[in-house]
Amino acid sequence: MTSTNLKITIDGSAGSAAPYEQLRAQIADRARSGKLPAGFKLPTVRGLAEELGLAANTVAKAYRALEADAVIETRGRNGTFIAAAGDAVSREAAAAAQAYADRVHRLGLTQAEALDAATDALRARYAAK
């Protein structure tokens, strides 16, 4: 299933990521790379669902996750757009890193142990793409 406007492809084969996660990841990657520039209007949930052959709830779940990550913004009846995300994403990443540092310090991990744990988690997460 492929979207012609966004060039999104959903792999329905066994073992592939959930469709909403594939959609979320592809839109986020295109927004970060600039292929979907800030202000680009995304299709409606129903429209993209029909185009990709997905349930509207699947697309809505991906859009909610993207909005929570400050990748997109919904402007009421005007639609859903790629957000100017640079600063918001950096701030959120810094806050997540600080929360992690606070937590591992409370757990008594050394800096080296904390870095190893974070590196392992990042390797696992990015290898899953």
Side-chain angles (χ1 to χ4, degrees):
M1 300 167 276
T2 303
S3 161
T4 53
N5 295 2
L6 300 177
K7 296 184 176 34
I8 300 287
T9 301
I10 303 298
D11 180 0
S13 64
S16 59
Y20 90 90
E21 175 56 25
Q22 292 180 53
L23 178 59
R24 185 211 58 77
Q26 290 180 54
I27 291 174
D29 289 345
R30 283 172 178 73
R32 275 192 288 278
S33 72
K35 290 179 183 171
L36 291 176
F40 179 88
K41 186 173 183 178
L42 294 169
T44 64
V45 166
R46 183 175 290 142
L48 187 56
E50 288 175 9
E51 193 173 342
L52 291 172
L54 297 172
N57 285 341
T58 300
V59 175
K61 184 175 182 179
Y63 275 21
R64 282 192 304 273
L66 288 162
E67 192 162 25
D69 292 343
V71 174
I72 65 172
E73 58 188 12
T74 302
R75 300 178 190 163
R77 292 183 174 264
N78 292 323
T80 303
F81 299 83
I82 298 295
D87 290 338
V89 170
S90 296
R91 280 193 308 272
E92 188 167 339
Q98 186 61 54
Y100 174 76
D102 292 344
R103 179 74 174 135
V104 296
H105 186 263
R106 282 193 308 274
L107 291 171
L109 271 64
T110 66
Q111 184 176 351
E113 291 169 332
L115 284 171
D116 287 344
T119 300
D120 290 345
L122 288 167
R123 276 193 196 115
R125 180 65 190 123
Y126 283 93
K129 281 188 168 185

